[in-house]
């Protein structure tokens, strides 16, 4: 197959990006092997507080369902960033979740040197924290970085990662593990 360029896009360092990290870490709260960092409302509280996305309010069972639906929808989106058709059902579900997490345009929420308008949560508490994740998605889209946030297509992995390759062609979270396993499976299928 064609060689894949792994040259890093030097215009943007994803490690320094709050929006990339916020969305990536949220999607990565679920490990297909069974570990779920959002198994309970208390765990959702901890996750949001550790990232300074909520102060005071406690998550309810309804908030937990909403968070898990948001995570599932975002994962489906990140999987579609490999050029696959989007999962229409997941997008519909994501639209429903977004309707419960309203955002507003803010002209004062940015940096002191910029007057660039930005989306901010319209509310506070747990739902405001979840809305901040959606605001990060929109910030990534506005800067043409949303499509660089992808999920590993290996069903046993699904790890969200930022594709910093120049041509946006990175497929696997790690070529050494998931990419290599896919190559071995493909080879065995051809030999079979």
């Amino acid at each position: 197959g064609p060689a894949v360029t792994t040259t890093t896009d030097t215009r943007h360092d994803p490690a320094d990006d709050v929006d990339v990290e916020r969305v990536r870490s949220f999607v990565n709260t679920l490990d297909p092997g069974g570990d779920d960092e959002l198994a309970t409302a208390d765990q959702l509280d901890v996750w949001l507080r550790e990232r300074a996305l909520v102060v005071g309010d406690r998550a309810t069972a309804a908030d937990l369902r909403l968070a898990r639906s948001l995570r599932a929808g975002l994962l489906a989106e990140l999987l579609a960033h490999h050029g696959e058709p989007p999962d229409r059902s997941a997008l519909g579900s994501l639209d429903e979740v977004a309707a419960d997490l309203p955002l507003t345009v803010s002209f004062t929420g940015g940096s002191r040197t910029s007057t660039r308008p930005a989306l901010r949560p319209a509310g506070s508490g747990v739902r405001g924290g979840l809305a901040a994740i959606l605001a990060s998605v929109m910030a990534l889209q506005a800067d043409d970085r949303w499509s660089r946030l992808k999920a590993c297509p290996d069903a046993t992995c699904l790890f969200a990662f930022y594709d910093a390759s120049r041509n946006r062609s990175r497929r696997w979270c790690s070529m050494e593990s998931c990419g290599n396993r896919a190559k071995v499976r493909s080879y065995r299928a051809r030999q079979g």
Side-chain angles (χ1 to χ4, degrees):
V4 176
T5 303
T6 57
T7 305
T8 302
D9 181 348
T10 57
R11 295 172 296 158
H12 179 78
D13 182 1
D16 295 333
D17 190 295
V18 171
D19 295 314
V20 168
E21 182 54 25
R22 182 176 289 161
V23 176
R24 189 196 65 76
S25 65
F26 182 70
V27 171
N28 286 338
T29 58
L30 180 63
D31 175 2
D35 189 27
D36 186 351
E37 292 179 50
L38 304 181
T40 67
D42 286 342
Q43 287 175 306
L44 175 59
D45 278 336
V46 168
W47 192 90
L48 292 168
R49 287 180 205 299
E50 285 177 348
R51 286 150 188 85
L53 293 174
V54 69
V55 176
D57 286 2
R58 303 286 300 171
T60 65
D63 294 332
L64 180 61
R65 283 190 300 277
L66 190 64
R68 288 172 154 186
S69 293
L70 175 60
R71 179 179 63 190
L74 291 175
L75 174 60
E77 273 287 291
L78 299 187
L79 286 167
H81 289 174
H82 292 290
E84 302 296 323
D87 178 339
R88 291 290 169 203
S89 173
L91 290 179
S93 180
L94 196 52
D95 281 347
E96 290 174 20
V97 168
D100 284 340
L101 302 172
L103 299 168
T104 188
V105 176
S106 171
F107 291 87
T108 60
S111 71
R112 286 188 253 176
T113 60
S114 172
T115 59
R116 181 177 175 192
L119 288 175
R120 302 280 180 245
S124 60
V126 173
R127 290 183 183 229
L130 295 174
I133 296 166
L134 284 180
S136 288
V137 168
M138 292 308 300
L140 293 170
Q141 177 64 35
D143 290 342
D144 193 31
R145 294 176 290 139
W146 174 235
S147 65
R148 287 185 177 274
L149 201 55
K150 300 177 178 182
C152 183
D154 184 326
T156 64
C157 180
L158 302 177
F159 187 77
F161 64 91
Y162 186 83
D163 179 357
S165 67
R166 189 173 309 277
N167 60 4
R168 300 176 185 228
S169 63
R170 184 171 160 201
R171 183 154 179 82
W172 309 103
C173 64
S174 164
M175 194 59 212
E176 292 78 26
S177 59
C178 293
N180 192 41
R181 278 195 305 269
K183 283 183 175 184
V184 169
R185 280 191 301 268
S186 178
Y187 173 79
R188 286 183 180 154
R190 286 190 308 269
Q191 300 303 312

